[in-house]
Amino acid sequence: MVSKIKTCIFISGRGSNLESIIKRSRDYIFPIKIELIISNNLDAKGLKLAKKYSIPHKFFHSKNSKIFERKSLFEIKKRKIKFLCLAGFMKVLSNNFIKNFGYKIINIHPSLLPKY
């Protein structure tokens, strides 16, 4: 059996990338297991996908980025997650968040924030 890496996906919107990742992660040889989905948007359609596929998910309001990051890190560390994937996540994570996470992060849907 392939040892899968515990992963958290951050989303903000539709979840089209998320759905592809979820479906692919169900493959025997795909290296990740999605343990958590976090969104900064309560209306993100990706949260419905999380429910559909029975994946734990959290919404944290993002007006105060420090609180959002603190709550996210708490959930990530509680689940011993080792990999983050930003899939259409429309916020910039602080250097402090990245240092405190200390593992691997990939952004599969880069944006030109804060320009847009």
Side-chain angles (χ1 to χ4, degrees), residues 30-41:
F30 200 70
I32 69 164
K33 179 177 183 206
I34 302 171
E35 296 280 334
L36 179 64
I37 295 169
I38 293 178
S39 181
N40 65 321
N41 176 3

Side-chain angles (χ1 to χ4, degrees), residues 35-98:
E35 296 280 334
L36 179 64
I37 295 169
I38 293 178
S39 181
N40 65 321
N41 176 3
L42 185 58
D43 297 322
K45 292 179 183 175
L47 292 176
K48 291 179 181 153
L49 289 172
K51 290 176 190 173
K52 175 182 173 181
Y53 290 99
S54 300
I55 300 170
H57 54 281
K58 296 285 183 180
F59 158 75
F60 300 122
H61 206 282
S62 65
K63 282 192 177 180
N64 184 322
S65 61
K66 288 182 182 183
I67 293 172
F68 173 86
E69 290 182 359
R70 186 176 67 239
K71 288 179 178 181
S72 296
L73 273 173
F74 175 80
E75 292 296 328
I76 289 165
K77 289 180 178 184
K78 180 171 81 173
R79 290 174 169 80
K80 299 179 179 162
I81 289 170
K82 301 293 181 194
F83 185 70
L84 301 183
C85 179
L86 311 179
F89 183 64
M90 300 303 289
K91 293 288 181 182
V92 175
L93 295 171
S94 72
N95 287 336
N96 190 49
F97 177 91
I98 293 167

